Amino acid sequence: MKCSLGGLMSRFSRLSTPLAGLTVIERKQMGDERGFFSRFFCRDELRDFGADGTISQINHTLTRAKGTIRGMHFQRPPHDEAKFVSCLAGAVFDVAVDIRPDSPTYLQWHGEILSGENARSMMIPGGFAHGFQTLSENCELVYLHDKPYAPDAEGGLNPLDPRLAISWPLEVAQMSERDRAFAFISA
Ligand SMILES: Cc1cn([C@H]2C[C@H](O)[C@@H](COP(=O)(O)OP(=O)(O)O[C@H]3O[C@H](C)C(=O)[C@H](O)[C@H]3O)O2)c(=O)[nH]c1=O
């Protein structure tokens, strides 16, 4: 059964990125005088999310200060998770880093602005580290994960690592001690 009101109209647009497997999904908003309705996720249409479009966990974060960086986080295999990242309030510069050892774009990054306004999500397969910088105050993000949280399998890259050279838009306002402590990648 198609995931739409009887018709075959897709509820999402897809934008490709320079990193294979990393996709930007744009939610279509069906507006009327009251506001809009949009489908946030649809397993049938987004079956390429993770293993088979299955959602294992949904997380929600609030980041209060503009300029804060969270990341760059990942889980090691076999817990390497796909993430569907959306910003419902505020705006963030969302970044994924290719950490697939055999990838031709290994250690390359791609960034997108996600905001409540632009209705965009980053669909990130396993094999990427993820992080973001807030571009406004009080940013709320929702993450869909295709695998459960596995703290013993957590890893991270330093968001300020010169080897990654991520072009963060703002001065860094806040980072957790844990994120600051991630070692730089040796040359
Ligand atoms: C990720 C996660 C964390 N936690 C606990 C662990 C800590 O006690 C607390 C905060 O965790 P952390 O400081 O890792 O939160 P963030 O720095 O926002 O990390 C997240 O943001 C970056 C950008 C991501 O991409 C990851 O999804 C996620 O790591 O929540 C859980 O209980 N379940 C979870 O799935």
Short mmCIF file of all heavy atoms in Angstrom, two decimals, residues 9-47:
data_model
loop_
_atom_site.label_atom_id
_atom_site.label_comp_id
_atom_site.label_asym_id
_atom_site.label_seq_id
_atom_site.Cartn_x
_atom_site.Cartn_y
_atom_site.Cartn_z
N MET A 9 1.07 10.16 -5.04
CA MET A 9 1.90 11.33 -4.88
C MET A 9 2.89 11.09 -3.74
O MET A 9 2.52 10.67 -2.65
CB MET A 9 1.02 12.54 -4.54
CG MET A 9 1.77 13.85 -4.42
SD MET A 9 0.66 15.16 -3.95
CE MET A 9 0.71 15.04 -2.17
N SER A 10 4.18 11.37 -4.04
CA SER A 10 5.18 11.22 -2.99
C SER A 10 5.06 12.38 -2.00
O SER A 10 4.72 13.51 -2.37
CB SER A 10 6.59 11.24 -3.61
OG SER A 10 7.54 11.40 -2.59
N ARG A 11 5.35 12.11 -0.76
CA ARG A 11 5.33 13.14 0.28
C ARG A 11 6.72 13.72 0.51
O ARG A 11 6.89 14.57 1.39
CB ARG A 11 4.84 12.52 1.61
CG ARG A 11 3.38 12.13 1.61
CD ARG A 11 2.48 13.36 1.53
NE ARG A 11 1.08 13.04 1.83
CZ ARG A 11 0.18 12.76 0.89
NH1 ARG A 11 0.55 12.74 -0.38
NH2 ARG A 11 -1.08 12.51 1.21
N PHE A 12 7.69 13.26 -0.29
CA PHE A 12 9.06 13.70 -0.06
C PHE A 12 9.77 13.99 -1.38
O PHE A 12 9.50 13.35 -2.39
CB PHE A 12 9.86 12.60 0.68
CG PHE A 12 9.21 12.12 1.94
CD1 PHE A 12 8.38 11.01 1.94
CD2 PHE A 12 9.42 12.79 3.14
CE1 PHE A 12 7.78 10.56 3.11
CE2 PHE A 12 8.82 12.35 4.31
CZ PHE A 12 8.00 11.24 4.30
N SER A 13 10.69 14.95 -1.33
CA SER A 13 11.64 15.14 -2.44
C SER A 13 13.00 14.70 -1.94
O SER A 13 13.29 14.77 -0.74
CB SER A 13 11.73 16.63 -2.82
OG SER A 13 10.47 17.10 -3.17
N ARG A 14 13.81 14.21 -2.88
CA ARG A 14 15.16 13.75 -2.51
C ARG A 14 16.21 14.62 -3.18
O ARG A 14 16.11 14.94 -4.36
CB ARG A 14 15.38 12.31 -2.98
CG ARG A 14 14.62 11.28 -2.17
CD ARG A 14 14.66 9.93 -2.86
NE ARG A 14 14.01 8.92 -2.04
CZ ARG A 14 14.67 8.07 -1.25
NH1 ARG A 14 15.99 8.13 -1.20
NH2 ARG A 14 14.03 7.18 -0.50
N LEU A 15 17.23 15.00 -2.39
CA LEU A 15 18.35 15.75 -2.96
C LEU A 15 19.60 14.93 -2.73
O LEU A 15 19.86 14.47 -1.61
CB LEU A 15 18.46 17.11 -2.25
CG LEU A 15 17.16 17.94 -2.15
CD1 LEU A 15 17.34 19.09 -1.16
CD2 LEU A 15 16.76 18.46 -3.50
N SER A 16 20.39 14.68 -3.79
CA SER A 16 21.60 13.89 -3.61
C SER A 16 22.71 14.78 -3.04
O SER A 16 22.60 16.00 -2.99
CB SER A 16 22.04 13.30 -4.96
OG SER A 16 22.33 14.37 -5.84
N THR A 17 23.76 14.12 -2.57
CA THR A 17 24.93 14.84 -2.03
C THR A 17 26.18 14.23 -2.67
O THR A 17 26.11 13.16 -3.28
CB THR A 17 25.02 14.66 -0.48
OG1 THR A 17 25.47 13.33 -0.21
CG2 THR A 17 23.68 14.94 0.19
N PRO A 18 27.33 14.85 -2.48
CA PRO A 18 28.57 14.29 -3.07
C PRO A 18 29.03 13.00 -2.40
O PRO A 18 29.94 12.34 -2.90
CB PRO A 18 29.60 15.40 -2.85
CG PRO A 18 28.82 16.63 -2.55
CD PRO A 18 27.55 16.18 -1.90
N LEU A 19 28.39 12.64 -1.25
CA LEU A 19 28.83 11.44 -0.54
C LEU A 19 27.81 10.32 -0.78
O LEU A 19 26.64 10.44 -0.39
CB LEU A 19 28.97 11.73 0.97
CG LEU A 19 29.85 12.93 1.33
CD1 LEU A 19 29.94 13.08 2.84
CD2 LEU A 19 31.23 12.83 0.71
N ALA A 20 28.25 9.25 -1.41
CA ALA A 20 27.35 8.15 -1.80
C ALA A 20 26.58 7.64 -0.58
O ALA A 20 27.17 7.37 0.48
CB ALA A 20 28.16 7.01 -2.42
N GLY A 21 25.26 7.56 -0.74
CA GLY A 21 24.42 7.03 0.34
C GLY A 21 23.85 8.10 1.24
O GLY A 21 22.83 7.88 1.90
N LEU A 22 24.45 9.28 1.25
CA LEU A 22 23.96 10.38 2.10
C LEU A 22 22.95 11.19 1.30
O LEU A 22 23.26 11.67 0.19
CB LEU A 22 25.14 11.28 2.51
CG LEU A 22 24.78 12.48 3.39
CD1 LEU A 22 24.33 12.03 4.78
CD2 LEU A 22 25.97 13.44 3.49
N THR A 23 21.73 11.29 1.81
CA THR A 23 20.63 11.91 1.06
C THR A 23 19.94 12.97 1.90
O THR A 23 19.80 12.81 3.12
CB THR A 23 19.58 10.83 0.69
OG1 THR A 23 20.25 9.72 0.10
CG2 THR A 23 18.55 11.37 -0.30
N VAL A 24 19.52 14.05 1.24
CA VAL A 24 18.70 15.06 1.91
C VAL A 24 17.26 14.81 1.49
O VAL A 24 16.97 14.64 0.30
CB VAL A 24 19.14 16.48 1.53
CG1 VAL A 24 18.23 17.52 2.16
CG2 VAL A 24 20.59 16.71 1.96
N ILE A 25 16.38 14.73 2.46
CA ILE A 25 14.95 14.49 2.21
C ILE A 25 14.20 15.77 2.55
O ILE A 25 14.42 16.35 3.63
CB ILE A 25 14.43 13.33 3.09
CG1 ILE A 25 15.22 12.03 2.81
CG2 ILE A 25 12.93 13.12 2.88
CD1 ILE A 25 15.02 11.42 1.46
N GLU A 26 13.36 16.19 1.66
CA GLU A 26 12.56 17.40 1.91
C GLU A 26 11.08 17.01 2.05
O GLU A 26 10.54 16.35 1.15
CB GLU A 26 12.73 18.40 0.77
CG GLU A 26 12.28 19.81 1.10
CD GLU A 26 12.86 20.80 0.09
OE1 GLU A 26 12.19 21.03 -0.94
OE2 GLU A 26 13.98 21.29 0.33
N ARG A 27 10.49 17.37 3.16
CA ARG A 27 9.08 17.00 3.39
C ARG A 27 8.16 17.98 2.67
O ARG A 27 8.36 19.19 2.74
CB ARG A 27 8.77 17.05 4.90
CG ARG A 27 9.64 16.12 5.73
CD ARG A 27 9.26 16.15 7.19
NE ARG A 27 9.48 17.43 7.84
CZ ARG A 27 10.66 17.83 8.31
NH1 ARG A 27 11.73 17.09 8.16
NH2 ARG A 27 10.78 19.00 8.92
N LYS A 28 7.18 17.44 1.97
CA LYS A 28 6.21 18.31 1.31
C LYS A 28 5.18 18.74 2.35
O LYS A 28 4.68 17.92 3.13
CB LYS A 28 5.55 17.57 0.14
CG LYS A 28 6.54 17.27 -0.98
CD LYS A 28 5.90 16.58 -2.17
CE LYS A 28 6.98 16.31 -3.24
NZ LYS A 28 6.45 15.49 -4.36
N GLN A 29 4.89 20.04 2.36
CA GLN A 29 3.92 20.55 3.33
C GLN A 29 2.61 20.84 2.59
O GLN A 29 2.60 21.59 1.61
CB GLN A 29 4.46 21.81 4.00
CG GLN A 29 5.72 21.52 4.83
CD GLN A 29 6.29 22.76 5.50
OE1 GLN A 29 6.00 23.88 5.09
NE2 GLN A 29 7.12 22.55 6.53
N MET A 30 1.54 20.21 3.07
CA MET A 30 0.23 20.44 2.46
C MET A 30 -0.47 21.51 3.29
O MET A 30 -0.91 21.27 4.41
CB MET A 30 -0.57 19.13 2.43
CG MET A 30 0.00 18.17 1.38
SD MET A 30 -0.32 16.44 1.77
CE MET A 30 1.09 16.08 2.80
N GLY A 31 -0.46 22.72 2.73
CA GLY A 31 -0.92 23.86 3.52
C GLY A 31 -2.36 24.22 3.25
O GLY A 31 -2.93 23.88 2.22
N ASP A 32 -2.95 24.85 4.27
CA ASP A 32 -4.26 25.49 4.08
C ASP A 32 -4.31 26.65 5.06
O ASP A 32 -3.31 27.00 5.70
CB ASP A 32 -5.41 24.50 4.29
CG ASP A 32 -5.44 23.93 5.70
OD1 ASP A 32 -4.92 24.60 6.63
OD2 ASP A 32 -5.96 22.83 5.89
N GLU A 33 -5.49 27.24 5.21
CA GLU A 33 -5.57 28.47 6.01
C GLU A 33 -5.21 28.22 7.47
O GLU A 33 -4.87 29.13 8.22
CB GLU A 33 -6.97 29.11 5.92
CG GLU A 33 -8.10 28.29 6.54
CD GLU A 33 -8.53 27.14 5.63
OE1 GLU A 33 -7.99 27.05 4.50
OE2 GLU A 33 -9.36 26.32 6.07
N ARG A 34 -5.25 26.92 7.89
CA ARG A 34 -4.91 26.63 9.31
C ARG A 34 -3.40 26.52 9.52
O ARG A 34 -2.90 26.63 10.63
CB ARG A 34 -5.57 25.31 9.73
CG ARG A 34 -7.07 25.28 9.61
CD ARG A 34 -7.58 23.84 9.69
NE ARG A 34 -7.00 23.07 8.58
CZ ARG A 34 -7.12 21.73 8.49
NH1 ARG A 34 -7.75 21.03 9.43
NH2 ARG A 34 -6.60 21.08 7.46
N GLY A 35 -2.67 26.19 8.45
CA GLY A 35 -1.23 25.93 8.60
C GLY A 35 -0.84 24.88 7.58
O GLY A 35 -1.16 25.00 6.39
N PHE A 36 -0.19 23.77 8.03
CA PHE A 36 0.17 22.72 7.07
C PHE A 36 0.13 21.35 7.73
O PHE A 36 0.15 21.23 8.96
CB PHE A 36 1.56 22.96 6.45
CG PHE A 36 2.72 22.77 7.41
CD1 PHE A 36 3.22 21.50 7.71
CD2 PHE A 36 3.33 23.87 8.00
CE1 PHE A 36 4.28 21.32 8.58
CE2 PHE A 36 4.40 23.70 8.87
CZ PHE A 36 4.88 22.43 9.17
N PHE A 37 0.05 20.34 6.86
CA PHE A 37 0.22 18.94 7.29
C PHE A 37 1.40 18.38 6.52
O PHE A 37 1.50 18.62 5.30
CB PHE A 37 -1.04 18.12 6.95
CG PHE A 37 -0.88 16.64 7.21
CD1 PHE A 37 -1.33 16.08 8.37
CD2 PHE A 37 -0.25 15.82 6.26
CE1 PHE A 37 -1.18 14.72 8.61
CE2 PHE A 37 -0.08 14.46 6.50
CZ PHE A 37 -0.55 13.91 7.67
N SER A 38 2.32 17.71 7.17
CA SER A 38 3.38 17.04 6.41
C SER A 38 3.64 15.68 7.04
O SER A 38 3.45 15.48 8.24
CB SER A 38 4.67 17.87 6.40
OG SER A 38 5.36 17.76 7.63
N ARG A 39 4.02 14.76 6.22
CA ARG A 39 4.39 13.42 6.70
C ARG A 39 5.85 13.49 7.12
O ARG A 39 6.71 13.91 6.36
CB ARG A 39 4.19 12.40 5.58
CG ARG A 39 4.54 10.98 6.01
CD ARG A 39 3.84 9.96 5.16
NE ARG A 39 2.40 10.03 5.34
CZ ARG A 39 1.52 9.79 4.38
NH1 ARG A 39 1.94 9.48 3.17
NH2 ARG A 39 0.24 9.87 4.60
N PHE A 40 6.15 13.04 8.33
CA PHE A 40 7.50 13.20 8.86
C PHE A 40 8.43 12.07 8.38
O PHE A 40 9.59 12.27 8.10
CB PHE A 40 7.43 13.20 10.40
CG PHE A 40 8.71 13.62 11.05
CD1 PHE A 40 9.09 14.95 11.07
CD2 PHE A 40 9.56 12.68 11.61
CE1 PHE A 40 10.27 15.34 11.66
CE2 PHE A 40 10.75 13.06 12.19
CZ PHE A 40 11.11 14.39 12.21
N PHE A 41 7.85 10.88 8.28
CA PHE A 41 8.62 9.71 7.81
C PHE A 41 7.62 8.73 7.22
O PHE A 41 6.47 8.69 7.61
CB PHE A 41 9.38 9.08 8.99
CG PHE A 41 10.25 7.91 8.59
CD1 PHE A 41 11.52 8.12 8.10
CD2 PHE A 41 9.77 6.60 8.67
CE1 PHE A 41 12.33 7.05 7.72
CE2 PHE A 41 10.56 5.53 8.28
CZ PHE A 41 11.85 5.76 7.81
N CYS A 42 8.07 7.91 6.26
CA CYS A 42 7.17 6.90 5.67
C CYS A 42 8.02 5.70 5.26
O CYS A 42 8.89 5.80 4.39
CB CYS A 42 6.45 7.48 4.46
SG CYS A 42 5.42 6.25 3.63
N ARG A 43 7.78 4.58 5.92
CA ARG A 43 8.62 3.41 5.68
C ARG A 43 8.55 2.97 4.22
O ARG A 43 9.56 2.61 3.61
CB ARG A 43 8.17 2.27 6.61
CG ARG A 43 9.04 1.04 6.45
CD ARG A 43 8.70 -0.02 7.46
NE ARG A 43 9.36 -1.28 7.09
CZ ARG A 43 9.27 -2.38 7.82
NH1 ARG A 43 8.58 -2.36 8.94
NH2 ARG A 43 9.88 -3.48 7.45
N ASP A 44 7.35 3.01 3.63
CA ASP A 44 7.21 2.57 2.24
C ASP A 44 8.02 3.47 1.31
O ASP A 44 8.70 2.99 0.39
CB ASP A 44 5.75 2.60 1.80
CG ASP A 44 4.99 1.41 2.36
OD1 ASP A 44 5.63 0.58 3.05
OD2 ASP A 44 3.77 1.33 2.14
N GLU A 45 7.97 4.79 1.54
CA GLU A 45 8.67 5.69 0.62
C GLU A 45 10.16 5.81 0.96
O GLU A 45 10.98 6.17 0.11
CB GLU A 45 8.05 7.09 0.69
CG GLU A 45 6.72 7.20 -0.02
CD GLU A 45 6.41 8.63 -0.36
OE1 GLU A 45 7.19 9.23 -1.11
OE2 GLU A 45 5.40 9.14 0.14
N LEU A 46 10.49 5.55 2.22
CA LEU A 46 11.89 5.73 2.64
C LEU A 46 12.47 4.40 3.10
O LEU A 46 13.18 4.30 4.10
CB LEU A 46 11.97 6.80 3.75
CG LEU A 46 11.41 8.17 3.37
CD1 LEU A 46 11.33 9.07 4.60
CD2 LEU A 46 12.26 8.83 2.28
N ARG A 47 12.12 3.37 2.32
CA ARG A 47 12.57 2.01 2.68
C ARG A 47 14.09 1.89 2.65
O ARG A 47 14.68 1.00 3.23
CB ARG A 47 11.90 1.00 1.74
CG ARG A 47 11.99 -0.43 2.19
CD ARG A 47 11.10 -1.35 1.36
NE ARG A 47 9.69 -1.20 1.72
CZ ARG A 47 9.15 -1.80 2.79
NH1 ARG A 47 9.91 -2.52 3.60
NH2 ARG A 47 7.86 -1.65 3.06
#
